[in-house]
Amino acid sequence: MTYDVRPEITVSGTAFAGWQAIRTTPIVTDNPSLRIECYPGVDVTGVLDAFDPGHEKLHVDTHDLRLPPNERADLLSPFLTDDRVFGTFAPPDTAPLEIADFLDDVLVSSVRDCINTHVRDGGSVLIAGPGAAYVATGTELDAAPLIYADMPRWEIQTRLRAGRGTWLAPEPFDDMLRAFKLGYFVEWRSADRCKMALFDDVDLFLDTTDPENPLATTGEDMRRALGAVVQRPFRTVPFFDPGVWGGQWMKREFDLPDGPDNYAWGFDCVPEENSLLLAFDGGTLEVPAINVVLRHPEDLLGKPVFQRFGAEFPIRFDFLDTIEGGNLSLQVHPDADYARDRFGLSYTQDESYYILAAEPDAHVYLGLTDGTSPQHFFDALHEAQEGGGDLDVARYVNRLPTARHDHFSIPSGTIHCAGRGCMVLEISATPYIFTFKLWDWGRLGLDGRPRPIHAEHGQNVLKGDRDRTWVDAEILEQSEILVRDGTYVEERTGLHASEFIETRRHWFDSEVQQETGDSVHVLNLVQGDGAIIESPTAAFKPFVVGFAETFIIPATVGAYTFRPVTPGQACGMINAAVRT
């Protein structure tokens, strides 16, 4: 089976494909005025022009109603800080920012008067952009249909790289890291809260991910579709990105495009940034995967997980490819207290490396060498950084050989990185940008700039007792066989007792019975051509996955089974869930 880079979810309902079909839906033709709420990143001018090509109506773009740049900067400052990478979700004595906070009250009041006058004089109005529904509140547009133009975060990042501005910073950034930080810490979260507040009232959902081929579906059909998603296994749409250390394995195994020199990352289950492809009758809409998390958190996550994490998907699966590539940056992650105090996070980025494939000399770096104190390491690190010399990493950090199917737990506070020659399935907690790079082997980023180093943060969180003795006792060869029944074996492979994710590996050549136990499961087929996931009660249609494909089993599914596509083939499946 070929790795599916565009997995679709078949749902009931109708899609309208193309601007002509969208403009001629009854929702549009029966109503001369429209409210078009847009997620940041949507081309608002393009949407207005598409709904009214002849400009016969009054167009209102909420970008024109924002506070002046200096006032927006004052609001953003407590959240963004001066760091290129890190901001905070919860600055002291500061409430979360909403879309409406960035609109100028005087301009909004004036536009509301203008809308009322125009409509009362017999005219029609199209108002579009982030905050459109808020601006229309209390005006003659209150009863106008509400259209929501949505966009996945990965598409937004693609547009930022192409030189597009953002809702809060209309001028293109010259630093992609700062652009991402603005979205991650403020813009996207405020837009998500706005979207969920409006979700039940939306009459038409609009997908302009491909601006030349827009699609839409009714609000009723979209709400029904998202409800159906959490009743079955599903995959998010993966995306892949090059990097300075990237390798060639994913390009070959997944048949990825030849454009980039390499692929470093593959994001196969990061619902905050991935999308879903909802295949309606008439077309397939691409929608943010975060919508199903925010809309149906308890059905998806399970009650105990939802009570602990709220409407956040806490497990992340992604790929790191260093085969024929280079070493990742030497790094460390903060513990939960540090993450909460410095960044406003409710949990931190514990993680693990599952080795899907390995070259003969593959290795990982993990833990300080015995006899090395954090002070010794950081003294050597500062000397190398300030003097422009090299750092003898293996003197201070354990260089461990690795092979296919090894699984390394990496609790927060442990120095680590994947070395050259590894194809890593990274199984971790979701706060994925909180990596403190310590040493980057003297490289520049793909943008030609030095990659950010956070040695001060690293020195604050690196745990000095995580040495080779600790690694041998706590990390290496920790797999525990839980069930052995003929050719079937179930093992607990991790993660470390201090981490909240439990991983089980199943070796099987026939049907295996599973139960979610009121917790979402995230799985990946780590060996074998393919597997079929089924419901013992036929509650969902058989779902087929191929090698290395990650998929989600919502908590509400309950009982499910998996078996090889090829009868009798020896397969391996890794399954991650939240410990409760």
Side-chain angles (χ1 to χ4, degrees):
M1 294 178 60
T2 302
Y3 182 92
D4 188 356
V5 297
R6 299 285 290 174
E8 294 187 354
I9 304 170
T10 301
V11 294
S12 62
T14 302
F16 309 101
W19 284 119
Q20 179 61 27
I22 294 168
R23 283 195 299 266
T24 54
T25 60
I27 290 171
V28 177
T29 58
D30 294 350
N31 298 277
S33 295
L34 299 171
R35 299 173 295 158
I36 310 171
E37 185 74 28
C38 297
Y39 203 85
V42 170
D43 178 4
V44 176
T45 300
V47 168
L48 285 168
D49 289 344
F51 274 102
D52 182 27
H55 283 241
E56 298 172 357
K57 305 178 181 184
L58 174 65
H59 291 190
V60 178
D61 183 341
T62 62
H63 285 76
D64 299 328
L65 308 180
R66 289 168 300 178
L67 291 168
N70 63 314
E71 294 185 34
R72 296 202 300 270
D74 288 343
L75 287 174
L76 291 168
S77 178
F79 294 86
L80 298 186
T81 75
D82 294 329
D83 191 278
R84 282 182 70 195
V85 177
F86 302 123
T88 179
F89 296 115
D93 304 317
T94 306
L97 294 171
E98 307 299 344
I99 291 291
D101 292 331
F102 295 97
L103 297 173
D104 187 304
D105 290 340
V106 174
L107 294 177
V108 168
S109 178
S110 176
V111 163
R112 285 172 173 167
D113 289 342
C114 182
I115 289 171
N116 288 335
T117 299
H118 192 77
V119 173
R120 289 165 187 165
D121 288 344
S124 302
V125 179
L126 299 181
I127 181 169
Y134 166 77
V135 176
T137 300
T139 72
E140 295 289 338
L141 299 187
D142 245 346
L146 177 60
I147 297 173
Y148 196 95
D150 214 344
M151 183 157 290
R153 292 181 186 177
W154 178 243
E155 174 61 23
I156 296 170
Q157 292 177 65
T158 301
R159 296 184 181 198
L160 289 172
R161 292 178 182 183
R164 293 280 298 275
T166 72
W167 155 246
L168 295 177
E171 297 302 321
F173 278 86
D174 63 356
D175 185 346
M176 184 59 196
L177 292 176
R178 292 188 183 276
F180 179 87
K181 182 177 73 167
L182 174 59
Y184 182 77
F185 283 97
V186 180
E187 192 170 85
W188 300 336
R189 293 172 191 274
S190 61
D192 285 337
R193 289 191 294 271
C194 175
K195 175 167 53 178
M196 286 301 112
L198 298 172
F199 212 85
D200 283 329
D201 297 324
V202 174
D203 298 291
L204 192 73
F205 281 92
L206 179 63
D207 168 22
T208 60
T209 305
D210 180 351
E212 301 302 317
N213 297 285
L215 294 109
T217 192
T218 65
E220 182 180 357
D221 281 352
M222 177 62 76
R223 289 184 285 271
R224 184 187 303 114
L226 293 183
V229 168
V230 295
Q231 304 298 321
R232 67 180 89 175
F234 67 94
R235 290 187 63 215
T236 62
V237 179
F239 60 90
F240 303 89
D241 217 17
V244 294
W245 44 262
Q248 302 299 318
W249 190 91
M250 289 192 294
K251 182 182 287 190
R252 289 193 297 265
E253 294 293 325
F254 298 165
D255 194 24
L256 300 180
D258 286 332
D261 291 336
N262 65 63
Y263 287 98
W265 293 276
F267 299 92
D268 202 7
C269 180
V270 187
E272 281 197 350
E273 295 196 25
N274 290 115
S275 56
L276 301 176
L277 290 175
L278 301 181
F280 293 91
D281 182 18
T284 299
L285 273 72
E286 186 164 4
V287 303
I290 191 67
N291 288 2
V292 77
V293 181
L294 297 173
R295 182 73 178 167
H296 298 285
E298 191 166 328
D299 286 340
L300 175 63
L301 303 176
K303 187 174 182 178
V305 180
F306 174 56
Q307 288 178 336
R308 180 174 178 180
F309 294 98
E312 291 194 24
F313 198 91
I315 301 172
R316 181 191 76 179
F317 276 39
D318 61 79
F319 299 121
L320 308 172
D321 183 357
T322 69
I323 289 181
E324 300 174 43
N327 299 325
L328 270 70
S329 58
L330 197 63
Q331 58 194 249
V332 66
H333 302 297
D335 62 22
D337 289 342
Y338 196 87
R340 181 185 60 250
D341 294 343
R342 293 298 184 97
F343 309 116
L345 284 168
S346 58
Y347 60 105
T348 192
Q349 189 170 325
D350 292 309
E351 64 184 28
S352 70
Y353 288 168
Y354 190 95
I355 308 301
L356 275 179
E359 294 181 301
D361 62 345
H363 56 278
V364 300
Y365 291 91
L366 185 62
L368 297 170
T369 54
D370 283 346
T372 295
S373 70
Q375 190 62 52
H376 288 150
F377 168 74
F378 281 103
D379 285 347
L381 177 66
H382 293 318
E383 182 178 348
Q385 289 171 336
E386 293 172 6
D390 201 6
L391 177 69
D392 183 3
V393 173
R395 177 180 175 184
Y396 303 101
V397 183
N398 301 301
R399 186 182 189 273
L400 306 176
T402 187
R404 187 182 183 194
H405 295 308
D406 286 347
H407 193 185
F408 299 93
S409 292
I410 309 172
S412 60
T414 308
I415 193 168
H416 67 281
C417 76
R420 187 185 188 279
C422 299
M423 181 60 212
V424 176
L425 170 63
E426 189 175 41
I427 302 172
S428 67
T430 297
Y432 48 91
I433 74 164
F434 296 94
T435 297
F436 301 147
K437 294 184 180 70
L438 306 176
W439 176 250
D440 202 34
W441 315 92
R443 300 175 296 211
L444 297 177
L446 294 181
D447 59 1
R449 302 177 182 215
R451 301 176 79 208
I453 297 295
H454 289 94
E456 182 178 350
H457 281 306
Q459 196 157 4
N460 290 337
V461 304
L462 192 148
K463 297 185 184 300
D465 62 343
R466 305 284 173 84
D467 57 11
R468 180 58 189 262
T469 300
W470 181 89
V471 168
D472 286 344
E474 298 286 336
I475 299 298
L476 300 183
E477 299 181 6
Q478 296 297 306
S479 295
E480 175 188 2
I481 294 178
L482 302 176
V483 178
R484 186 187 294 275
D485 184 3
T487 57
Y488 172 69
V489 177
E490 179 183 357
E491 303 169 279
R492 178 187 289 115
T493 66
L495 278 53
H496 188 264
S498 65
E499 303 177 76
F500 67 77
I501 297 173
E502 173 90 353
T503 54
R504 304 284 182 93
R505 180 170 55 198
H506 305 267
W507 300 111
F508 62 101
D509 58 14
S510 58
E511 184 178 89
V512 177
Q513 297 181 355
Q514 291 286 283
E515 165 64 51
T516 61
D518 204 18
S519 174
V520 64
H521 286 190
V522 183
L523 302 94
N524 185 285
L525 185 67
V526 296
Q527 180 171 300
D529 295 332
I532 303 172
I533 294 81
E534 295 172 297
S535 165
T537 61
F540 56 82
K541 293 181 179 180
F543 180 77
V544 180
V545 296
F547 170 62
E549 291 182 353
T550 299
F551 61 102
I552 296 169
I553 304 285
T556 193
V557 164
Y560 66 97
T561 64
F562 51 78
R563 58 184 172 87
V565 165
T566 303
Q569 184 183 54
C571 294
M573 187 84 78
I574 193 83
N575 183 350
V578 174
R579 291 180 176 132
T580 55

